[in-house]
Amino acid sequence: MSAASTALPNRGLIPVQTPAAAVPPANAFFVILRANFVADVKFLRRSRLIMAFVLVFLVITVLSLLPSAFGQSEFKSFGTMEQIYGELRLFLAILAGGMGLFLVSFHQRDRSLKMVFTKPCTPANWLLAAMLSASFVSFVLNVVICAVMVGLSYGWHLAVRPGLMFLACESVIVDIIVISTMTLLASLVHPAVAATVAILFNGNLFYSFLQWSLQTIAEGNKTLKMRALEHFFHALYMIIPMYSPFGKHIDSVDGSYRVEHGQWKYLAFSLGYALTFALVAYLVALLSLRRKRHI
Amino acid sequence: MIVAENLRVEFRRRLFAPKLQALIGLNLDVRDGDFFALVGQNGAGKSTAMYCMLGLLAPTSGKIEVMGRTPDLGAPANEQVAYLPEEPHYHLYLTVEEATRYYSTLYGRRVPESTISDVLDRLGLGPFRSLRLSKCSKGMKQKVGIAQCLIHETRLLFLDEPTRGLDPLVVREFREALREIHKRGTTVVMNSHVLSEIEMLANRVAIIDAGRVVLQDDLQNLLTLDKESYGVTFTPVGDVPSFITSVERVGDLVRGSVPKERLYDFMEYSRTAGATVQECSLKRSSLEDSFFKVVNEGRATA
């Protein structure tokens, strides 16, 4: 390493400096956004934790595919493919959460953001790039996995159904919601707390609490405390993000890979919900990021 | 260029921990074209003051303006600001070249590859451009920080302990670069513990102690602060007279300090006793002398 110092050329350190523009270029925001985006994608590609997670899941998937390599014809069924794709989509959702969490918490904790915010790069720009890069990587992985499943369908002589594309799109939407949730939590609390909250306090938990309180009220316990509890659980259930907001309308696709005529619109509704939630999460995370001390 | 009035910063290190007072009514005035040094002990508040100037830390109360505006995270005015942090808090997953490109692109302008190569070569980082920052030594990381400061011509340059971890050769080159940048019109604000370095570079100095500025003046005024005494070196004969203070024996010689009004007494002593005087000159205090004097006086007054 010491060669770096001994090789110092005797020409002075100052290069031809780029003078600062009196007025920032019109596309400055996008130039900075692109720089942040590229840096974030490099972070995701080089993060050992994320890479280890990907490898573990890939090994599990490959092991589950091994029986087909030995020619067990009953294994090459639609059911098996459905199971593998389901597992891979779950893996992608967890990975998406990890990406959102690490992108924000890593940069906050290693204090490298002070190198970013002391330049004309706003927290809004940096946060947008973080969410976009995680969503982009998630999108690419979804496309790759969808392509693998199409390849597997051909290999196993199964019909390639439009449901495969439908589920891939739904998976991207779910990932956007997961990324937004984890980005928001990572900007508010310690990453370990964020992960715990995301795992424990999900929609299902508060839905079951809500159901329990409704059932208790229906059974005759109509006390003020119980009613207040019911409203509280209802409010929490509404606030907690839903990963599959129109799940009951599109659940049938998962089992058959067939898409009925009216089901595509729910994909659009889900996208609308995901983008709205992402916007809210972005604004709250931005507020939190602006209030933090980046020193 | 930078005005801080009655700046107070309080924060908690942990939730429910008692509040720490990092700055207590700090006043500062950095003029356009200054090479301004912030001097103080560890924990005096130098870095906190710099974080406020950079917009990284919002003061609890008081006013701070940099180039006429309140500093903020990612403000458009940062187009005119470059910053070299004390600790190498860089994006360690990027390579030397990627990090330099990334930091310079955050100014909203694409920087030609030739400029990046040029600055990396000048800093001796050329052969290490593909090395990740996580694998670099502290000195190399510091050089990356210097590289991103030198690429853009800015009006204001903040340096937090800039030569920490650098080898002497680069320190000298860097000093020359700083002089050149300052000569071109850039205002430089520097935190440093190396007082000799500040003597070489700065034209104005603020001494910070316990969160407040105890003295802010031109460096020349601080260096000639002690005009009231003479430094003497002589071969003593018999006892050393009591009016000679700060006596220090070096072999056969005695070094000491003689108050201005007792100079003739010293001359008389040397003539009558036959002491050989090696040196007798108006005492010029170093920045170190002034620093300790000012800090101690400040504490005594407080």
Side-chain angles (χ1 to χ4, degrees):
Chain A
M1 299 299 174
S2 60
S5 54
T6 51
L8 192 74
N10 191 22
R11 287 189 292 152
L13 291 183
I14 310 175
V16 181
Q17 289 181 303
T18 320
V23 179
N27 64 343
F29 182 87
F30 295 103
V31 171
I32 296 170
L33 187 70
R34 186 177 178 275
N36 281 323
F37 181 87
V38 170
D40 288 341
V41 170
K42 279 177 183 157
F43 166 77
L44 294 172
R45 212 177 65 200
R46 292 172 185 171
S47 168
R48 286 185 183 169
L49 214 62
I50 290 175
M51 199 48 74
F53 178 72
V54 170
L55 283 176
V56 165
F57 221 91
L58 281 181
V59 166
I60 292 170
T61 311
V62 168
L63 285 177
S64 68
L65 278 170
L66 271 183
S68 71
F70 294 102
Q72 293 170 7
S73 58
E74 71 274 18
F75 186 83
K76 296 174 180 176
S77 66
F78 176 78
T80 309
M81 198 176 86
E82 187 199 337
Q83 187 192 340
I84 292 169
Y85 193 32
E87 277 176 19
L88 285 174
R89 280 184 293 132
L90 175 68
F91 150 69
L92 279 182
I94 298 170
L95 181 67
M99 289 193 293
L101 180 75
F102 287 129
L103 260 174
V104 175
S105 62
F106 178 87
H107 287 99
Q108 276 188 159
R109 298 183 76 75
D110 81 343
R111 305 194 218 172
S112 58
L113 284 179
K114 70 164 84 163
M115 292 302 294
V116 177
F117 297 151
T118 50
K119 298 178 171 56
C121 170
T122 55
N125 191 310
W126 182 83
L127 189 65
L128 182 62
M131 289 173 81
L132 285 178
S133 58
S135 303
F136 170 75
V137 171
S138 173
F139 172 77
V140 169
L141 289 175
N142 267 296
V143 169
V144 169
I145 287 178
C146 185
V148 168
M149 298 319 292
V150 170
L152 209 59
S153 300
Y154 278 117
W156 288 358
H157 307 293
L158 298 169
V160 179
R161 294 179 184 162
L164 211 57
M165 177 67 78
F166 186 95
L167 289 174
C169 292
E170 201 227 352
S171 179
V172 171
I173 293 167
V174 169
D175 292 354
I176 291 172
I177 300 171
V178 174
I179 288 166
S180 308
T181 308
M182 295 315 292
T183 305
L184 170 63
L185 288 173
S187 70
L188 293 172
V189 289
H190 188 277
V193 178
T196 311
V197 168
I199 292 166
L200 295 181
F201 298 97
N202 53 44
N204 288 343
L205 178 81
F206 292 109
Y207 184 71
S208 55
F209 282 159
L210 178 65
Q211 289 302 315
W212 166 79
S213 58
L214 285 172
Q215 197 183 335
T216 312
I217 291 168
E219 283 168 1
N221 185 356
K222 291 178 182 174
T223 57
L224 190 68
K225 203 166 80 179
M226 205 60 211
R227 284 186 184 280
L229 213 55
E230 186 258 317
H231 284 296
F232 176 66
F233 288 139
H234 192 250
L236 279 178
Y237 176 64
M238 294 308 288
I239 290 170
I240 297 284
M242 289 175 277
Y243 298 123
S244 187
F246 298 95
K248 63 179 177 186
H249 298 287
I250 54 178
D251 269 354
S252 61
V253 182
D254 207 4
S256 63
Y257 286 11
R258 291 180 200 280
V259 187
E260 286 167 25
H261 183 64
Q263 282 181 314
W264 285 100
K265 72 178 179 208
Y266 290 109
L267 212 53
F269 295 161
S270 298
L271 182 65
Y273 173 83
L275 294 179
T276 309
F277 177 72
L279 180 67
V280 173
Y282 171 77
L283 292 174
V284 179
L286 183 60
L287 202 67
S288 164
L289 209 59
R290 289 194 61 83
R291 290 176 64 87
K292 275 195 172 12
R293 283 188 278 120
H294 304 284
I295 57 173
Chain B
M1 181 60 88
I2 301 172
V3 180
E5 286 173 11
N6 204 21
L7 212 59
R8 295 180 75 87
V9 172
E10 295 174 350
F11 54 79
R12 288 188 168 92
R13 291 233 178 266
R14 295 184 316 273
L15 200 65
F16 306 121
K19 271 188 180 175
L20 281 175
Q21 294 199 321
L23 297 180
I24 311 162
L26 182 127
N27 294 299
L28 210 61
D29 180 20
V30 180
R31 297 180 301 221
D32 198 0
D34 270 350
F35 197 123
F36 198 93
L38 296 170
V39 187
Q41 291 172 307
N42 289 331
K46 305 185 300 292
S47 293
T48 307
M50 194 172 267
Y51 291 148
C52 287
M53 295 177 209
L54 286 160
L56 290 171
L57 195 61
T60 312
S61 65
K63 184 182 128 181
I64 182 150
E65 281 189 354
V66 176
M67 292 184 281
R69 293 192 178 96
T70 306
D72 194 12
L73 296 174
N78 288 357
E79 165 92 5
Q80 301 289 349
V81 173
Y83 166 55
L84 177 67
E86 179 186 5
E87 296 290 331
H89 291 142
Y90 303 130
H91 292 66
L92 299 179
Y93 53 87
L94 296 177
T95 65
V96 166
E97 188 178 7
E98 286 167 352
T100 311
R101 188 185 302 113
Y102 174 51
Y103 295 141
S104 48
T105 313
L106 289 178
Y107 283 88
R109 284 165 280 147
R110 286 204 180 86
V111 179
E113 289 300 317
S114 56
T115 308
I116 290 170
S117 295
D118 189 25
V119 75
L120 291 181
D121 287 340
R122 281 166 196 247
L123 282 157
L125 288 172
F128 305 96
R129 63 183 65 219
S130 306
L131 192 69
R132 281 199 205 169
L133 290 184
S134 57
K135 302 265 193 313
C136 288
S137 67
K138 195 173 176 186
M140 286 172 76
K141 286 178 199 159
Q142 192 76 340
K143 283 182 187 176
V144 172
I146 293 171
Q148 54 96 28
C149 279
L150 295 179
I151 282 181
H152 293 294
E153 200 178 296
T154 53
R155 278 181 66 196
L156 196 49
L157 175 60
F158 289 99
L159 306 165
D160 202 352
E161 300 286 349
T163 52
R164 228 168 101 167
L166 292 178
D167 55 82
L169 203 63
V170 178
V171 168
R172 201 167 65 180
E173 289 270 0
F174 184 54
R175 262 190 227 128
E176 286 309 311
L178 285 180
R179 280 199 191 101
E180 180 61 31
I181 288 170
H182 180 233
K183 217 183 284 177
R184 288 183 189 181
T186 302
T187 305
V188 184
V189 179
M190 180 167 85
N191 275 352
S192 181
H193 287 119
V194 190
L195 298 177
S196 57
E197 187 172 79
I198 289 171
E199 276 191 42
M200 278 186 256
L201 293 168
N203 69 319
R204 293 187 75 223
V205 176
I207 297 176
I208 300 183
D209 186 44
R212 56 165 70 89
V213 172
V214 286
L215 187 123
Q216 179 177 270
D217 207 344
D218 287 352
L219 179 73
Q220 284 311 310
N221 294 342
L222 285 174
L223 294 181
T224 53
L225 196 69
D226 191 1
K227 290 175 185 167
E228 301 302 311
S229 60
Y230 284 82
V232 293
T233 309
F234 61 99
T235 315
V237 177
D239 291 339
V240 176
S242 59
F243 59 80
I244 301 176
T245 56
S246 311
V247 174
E248 184 189 343
R249 289 184 184 271
V250 186
D252 293 339
L253 294 174
V254 165
R255 279 193 193 131
S257 188
V258 176
K260 198 169 119 186
E261 65 277 8
R262 303 298 298 269
L263 185 63
Y264 288 107
D265 294 336
F266 176 69
M267 296 293 187
E268 187 60 23
Y269 156 73
S270 60
R271 196 180 62 80
T272 52
T276 313
V277 179
Q278 303 270 334
E279 191 185 343
C280 176
S281 59
L282 193 64
K283 203 173 172 188
R284 275 179 72 90
S285 54
S286 65
L287 183 59
E288 192 175 274
D289 297 332
S290 303
F291 172 73
F292 285 116
K293 189 175 175 183
V294 167
V295 169
N296 290 335
E297 278 173 6
R299 284 182 184 172
T301 318

PDB file of all heavy atoms in Angstrom, chain B residues 274-290:
ATOM      1  N   GLY B 274      29.783  38.397  34.991  1.00  0.00           N
ATOM      2  CA  GLY B 274      30.613  37.835  33.923  1.00  0.00           C
ATOM      3  C   GLY B 274      29.949  36.677  33.206  1.00  0.00           C
ATOM      4  O   GLY B 274      30.610  35.791  32.662  1.00  0.00           O
ATOM      5  N   ALA B 275      28.626  36.667  33.199  1.00  0.00           N
ATOM      6  CA  ALA B 275      27.889  35.604  32.492  1.00  0.00           C
ATOM      7  C   ALA B 275      27.942  35.843  30.983  1.00  0.00           C
ATOM      8  O   ALA B 275      27.826  36.991  30.535  1.00  0.00           O
ATOM      9  CB  ALA B 275      26.440  35.586  32.958  1.00  0.00           C
ATOM     10  N   THR B 276      28.162  34.759  30.234  1.00  0.00           N
ATOM     11  CA  THR B 276      28.223  34.893  28.771  1.00  0.00           C
ATOM     12  C   THR B 276      26.815  34.778  28.203  1.00  0.00           C
ATOM     13  O   THR B 276      26.145  33.749  28.377  1.00  0.00           O
ATOM     14  CB  THR B 276      29.097  33.774  28.174  1.00  0.00           C
ATOM     15  OG1 THR B 276      30.293  33.696  28.941  1.00  0.00           O
ATOM     16  CG2 THR B 276      29.410  34.021  26.706  1.00  0.00           C
ATOM     17  N   VAL B 277      26.358  35.816  27.546  1.00  0.00           N
ATOM     18  CA  VAL B 277      24.999  35.805  26.979  1.00  0.00           C
ATOM     19  C   VAL B 277      25.055  35.275  25.550  1.00  0.00           C
ATOM     20  O   VAL B 277      25.774  35.800  24.705  1.00  0.00           O
ATOM     21  CB  VAL B 277      24.372  37.222  27.003  1.00  0.00           C
ATOM     22  CG1 VAL B 277      22.976  37.195  26.390  1.00  0.00           C
ATOM     23  CG2 VAL B 277      24.324  37.749  28.415  1.00  0.00           C
ATOM     24  N   GLN B 278      24.353  34.189  25.330  1.00  0.00           N
ATOM     25  CA  GLN B 278      24.320  33.583  23.978  1.00  0.00           C
ATOM     26  C   GLN B 278      23.214  34.223  23.137  1.00  0.00           C
ATOM     27  O   GLN B 278      23.366  34.386  21.937  1.00  0.00           O
ATOM     28  CB  GLN B 278      24.020  32.089  24.089  1.00  0.00           C
ATOM     29  CG  GLN B 278      24.985  31.312  24.951  1.00  0.00           C
ATOM     30  CD  GLN B 278      26.149  30.777  24.147  1.00  0.00           C
ATOM     31  OE1 GLN B 278      26.027  30.560  22.969  1.00  0.00           O
ATOM     32  NE2 GLN B 278      27.284  30.606  24.811  1.00  0.00           N
ATOM     33  N   GLU B 279      22.103  34.522  23.766  1.00  0.00           N
ATOM     34  CA  GLU B 279      20.965  35.045  23.007  1.00  0.00           C
ATOM     35  C   GLU B 279      20.090  35.889  23.920  1.00  0.00           C
ATOM     36  O   GLU B 279      19.896  35.566  25.099  1.00  0.00           O
ATOM     37  CB  GLU B 279      20.125  33.875  22.466  1.00  0.00           C
ATOM     38  CG  GLU B 279      19.085  34.309  21.449  1.00  0.00           C
ATOM     39  CD  GLU B 279      18.177  33.159  21.012  1.00  0.00           C
ATOM     40  OE1 GLU B 279      18.544  31.988  21.246  1.00  0.00           O
ATOM     41  OE2 GLU B 279      17.113  33.465  20.462  1.00  0.00           O
ATOM     42  N   CYS B 280      19.618  37.000  23.373  1.00  0.00           N
ATOM     43  CA  CYS B 280      18.658  37.821  24.099  1.00  0.00           C
ATOM     44  C   CYS B 280      17.775  38.502  23.064  1.00  0.00           C
ATOM     45  O   CYS B 280      18.236  39.376  22.321  1.00  0.00           O
ATOM     46  CB  CYS B 280      19.410  38.857  24.952  1.00  0.00           C
ATOM     47  SG  CYS B 280      18.282  40.002  25.788  1.00  0.00           S
ATOM     48  N   SER B 281      16.572  38.050  22.931  1.00  0.00           N
ATOM     49  CA  SER B 281      15.700  38.615  21.888  1.00  0.00           C
ATOM     50  C   SER B 281      14.260  38.701  22.389  1.00  0.00           C
ATOM     51  O   SER B 281      13.874  37.971  23.312  1.00  0.00           O
ATOM     52  CB  SER B 281      15.759  37.752  20.625  1.00  0.00           C
ATOM     53  OG  SER B 281      15.359  36.452  20.939  1.00  0.00           O
ATOM     54  N   LEU B 282      13.511  39.607  21.756  1.00  0.00           N
ATOM     55  CA  LEU B 282      12.100  39.768  22.101  1.00  0.00           C
ATOM     56  C   LEU B 282      11.408  38.425  21.898  1.00  0.00           C
ATOM     57  O   LEU B 282      11.571  37.782  20.849  1.00  0.00           O
ATOM     58  CB  LEU B 282      11.460  40.830  21.195  1.00  0.00           C
ATOM     59  CG  LEU B 282      10.105  41.340  21.618  1.00  0.00           C
ATOM     60  CD1 LEU B 282      10.184  42.061  22.955  1.00  0.00           C
ATOM     61  CD2 LEU B 282       9.552  42.283  20.555  1.00  0.00           C
ATOM     62  N   LYS B 283      10.696  38.002  22.873  1.00  0.00           N
ATOM     63  CA  LYS B 283      10.143  36.648  22.817  1.00  0.00           C
ATOM     64  C   LYS B 283       8.939  36.590  21.891  1.00  0.00           C
ATOM     65  O   LYS B 283       7.970  37.320  22.076  1.00  0.00           O
ATOM     66  CB  LYS B 283       9.732  36.202  24.221  1.00  0.00           C
ATOM     67  CG  LYS B 283       9.680  34.698  24.352  1.00  0.00           C
ATOM     68  CD  LYS B 283       9.440  34.329  25.786  1.00  0.00           C
ATOM     69  CE  LYS B 283       9.183  32.843  25.884  1.00  0.00           C
ATOM     70  NZ  LYS B 283       8.768  32.495  27.233  1.00  0.00           N
ATOM     71  N   ARG B 284       9.054  35.743  20.857  1.00  0.00           N
ATOM     72  CA  ARG B 284       7.911  35.509  19.958  1.00  0.00           C
ATOM     73  C   ARG B 284       7.262  34.212  20.396  1.00  0.00           C
ATOM     74  O   ARG B 284       7.894  33.159  20.373  1.00  0.00           O
ATOM     75  CB  ARG B 284       8.379  35.357  18.510  1.00  0.00           C
ATOM     76  CG  ARG B 284       8.554  36.661  17.773  1.00  0.00           C
ATOM     77  CD  ARG B 284       9.027  36.380  16.381  1.00  0.00           C
ATOM     78  NE  ARG B 284       7.958  35.813  15.580  1.00  0.00           N
ATOM     79  CZ  ARG B 284       7.111  36.539  14.863  1.00  0.00           C
ATOM     80  NH1 ARG B 284       7.221  37.848  14.850  1.00  0.00           N
ATOM     81  NH2 ARG B 284       6.175  35.976  14.154  1.00  0.00           N
ATOM     82  N   SER B 285       6.053  34.323  20.783  1.00  0.00           N
ATOM     83  CA  SER B 285       5.411  33.087  21.234  1.00  0.00           C
ATOM     84  C   SER B 285       4.916  32.305  20.021  1.00  0.00           C
ATOM     85  O   SER B 285       4.512  32.887  19.017  1.00  0.00           O
ATOM     86  CB  SER B 285       4.258  33.421  22.169  1.00  0.00           C
ATOM     87  OG  SER B 285       3.401  34.318  21.554  1.00  0.00           O
ATOM     88  N   SER B 286       4.957  30.998  20.136  1.00  0.00           N
ATOM     89  CA  SER B 286       4.414  30.149  19.078  1.00  0.00           C
ATOM     90  C   SER B 286       2.901  30.082  19.277  1.00  0.00           C
ATOM     91  O   SER B 286       2.383  30.516  20.316  1.00  0.00           O
ATOM     92  CB  SER B 286       5.026  28.754  19.171  1.00  0.00           C
ATOM     93  OG  SER B 286       4.624  28.162  20.374  1.00  0.00           O
ATOM     94  N   LEU B 287       2.224  29.505  18.296  1.00  0.00           N
ATOM     95  CA  LEU B 287       0.766  29.348  18.428  1.00  0.00           C
ATOM     96  C   LEU B 287       0.449  28.455  19.627  1.00  0.00           C
ATOM     97  O   LEU B 287      -0.540  28.655  20.323  1.00  0.00           O
ATOM     98  CB  LEU B 287       0.191  28.756  17.136  1.00  0.00           C
ATOM     99  CG  LEU B 287      -1.322  28.599  17.086  1.00  0.00           C
ATOM    100  CD1 LEU B 287      -2.021  29.927  17.279  1.00  0.00           C
ATOM    101  CD2 LEU B 287      -1.760  27.962  15.789  1.00  0.00           C
ATOM    102  N   GLU B 288       1.353  27.499  19.854  1.00  0.00           N
ATOM    103  CA  GLU B 288       1.160  26.596  20.996  1.00  0.00           C
ATOM    104  C   GLU B 288       1.180  27.380  22.313  1.00  0.00           C
ATOM    105  O   GLU B 288       0.315  27.195  23.161  1.00  0.00           O
ATOM    106  CB  GLU B 288       2.265  25.538  20.984  1.00  0.00           C
ATOM    107  CG  GLU B 288       2.012  24.408  21.933  1.00  0.00           C
ATOM    108  CD  GLU B 288       3.074  23.325  21.809  1.00  0.00           C
ATOM    109  OE1 GLU B 288       2.908  22.461  20.946  1.00  0.00           O
ATOM    110  OE2 GLU B 288       4.059  23.386  22.555  1.00  0.00           O
ATOM    111  N   ASP B 289       2.180  28.298  22.440  1.00  0.00           N
ATOM    112  CA  ASP B 289       2.265  29.126  23.658  1.00  0.00           C
ATOM    113  C   ASP B 289       0.975  29.930  23.831  1.00  0.00           C
ATOM    114  O   ASP B 289       0.387  29.980  24.909  1.00  0.00           O
ATOM    115  CB  ASP B 289       3.447  30.110  23.568  1.00  0.00           C
ATOM    116  CG  ASP B 289       4.779  29.387  23.494  1.00  0.00           C
ATOM    117  OD1 ASP B 289       4.856  28.269  24.027  1.00  0.00           O
ATOM    118  OD2 ASP B 289       5.721  29.939  22.884  1.00  0.00           O
ATOM    119  N   SER B 290       0.573  30.570  22.711  1.00  0.00           N
ATOM    120  CA  SER B 290      -0.615  31.428  22.771  1.00  0.00           C
ATOM    121  C   SER B 290      -1.844  30.608  23.117  1.00  0.00           C
ATOM    122  O   SER B 290      -2.698  31.039  23.897  1.00  0.00           O
ATOM    123  CB  SER B 290      -0.853  32.110  21.422  1.00  0.00           C
ATOM    124  OG  SER B 290       0.277  32.840  21.080  1.00  0.00           O
TER     125      SER B 290
END
